[in-house]
Amino acid sequence: MKGKRPYLWVLAAVGLVLWAVPLALYAKGVFLPTVLWIPLYGVGLILFLGSLGTLFWRACLESDPVLRQHDHTVHDERNTAIRGKASAKTLEILRVVLMAAVVWAAAGDSSRQLAVLLFGILLLLSRVEFGCTLYYRRKM
């Protein structure tokens, strides 16, 4: 657990900078375009609060044996295998539903953009699954 702490502190610092820079510029009267301001502010806030939350959770796990035991219970191999099978079945069902929706959208009177969008989502889903398969093959 301790190996990722410097990484999380760096993420918190980067998030704080990304979050504070738009606010400081706004306070000085420099107005960034909304297209630039919202992503900087949002990404900075998510990085800062997310990494601080993770650091807090890790500190709680290290100090409280009851929480540590609960975390081990939740993340044991059996529960992980059950969640993995449920996720795989959900992915198969989602793929079948998307395929049916693509066929329905292409054959029906709906717009061509809907069929292309659904097909793009189906391709994205397949690519993410393929990438995860490659990642876990290399990891195991």
Side-chain angles (χ1 to χ4, degrees):
M1 266 196 227
K2 293 184 180 186
K4 292 191 177 186
R5 279 197 175 170
Y7 173 69
L8 288 170
W9 282 111
V10 168
L11 278 179
V14 168
L16 183 63
V17 168
L18 286 176
W19 183 34
V21 165
L23 289 177
L25 289 175
Y26 182 76
K28 293 207 178 226
V30 178
F31 300 106
L32 294 173
T34 305
V35 173
L36 193 63
W37 189 82
I38 290 175
L40 281 175
Y41 187 78
V43 169
L45 186 64
I46 289 170
L47 280 176
F48 180 65
L49 294 179
S51 54
L52 281 184
T54 304
L55 284 167
F56 176 72
W57 178 248
R58 286 175 182 236
C60 288
L61 281 177
E62 287 178 3
S63 64
D64 190 6
V66 175
L67 265 179
R68 191 177 321 125
Q69 179 61 36
H70 175 69
D71 188 56
H72 287 300
T73 304
V74 167
H75 293 103
D76 71 345
E77 289 182 24
R78 181 175 176 272
N79 287 338
T80 304
I82 290 170
R83 282 193 300 272
K85 283 187 175 192
S87 296
K89 186 56 79 175
T90 304
L91 183 66
E92 290 175 16
I93 292 170
L94 179 63
R95 185 179 300 118
V96 168
V97 168
L98 274 174
M99 285 182 200
V102 167
V103 169
W104 174 78
D109 288 335
S110 59
S111 67
R112 186 175 191 189
Q113 289 135 352
L114 178 63
V116 170
L117 174 69
L118 290 172
F119 186 69
I121 292 172
L122 185 63
L123 283 178
L124 178 67
L125 181 71
S126 299
R127 287 181 182 171
V128 168
E129 181 186 9
F130 182 70
C132 288
T133 302
L134 289 178
Y135 172 76
Y136 285 118
R137 275 190 187 162
R138 196 175 324 131
K139 191 175 181 181
M140 291 181 168

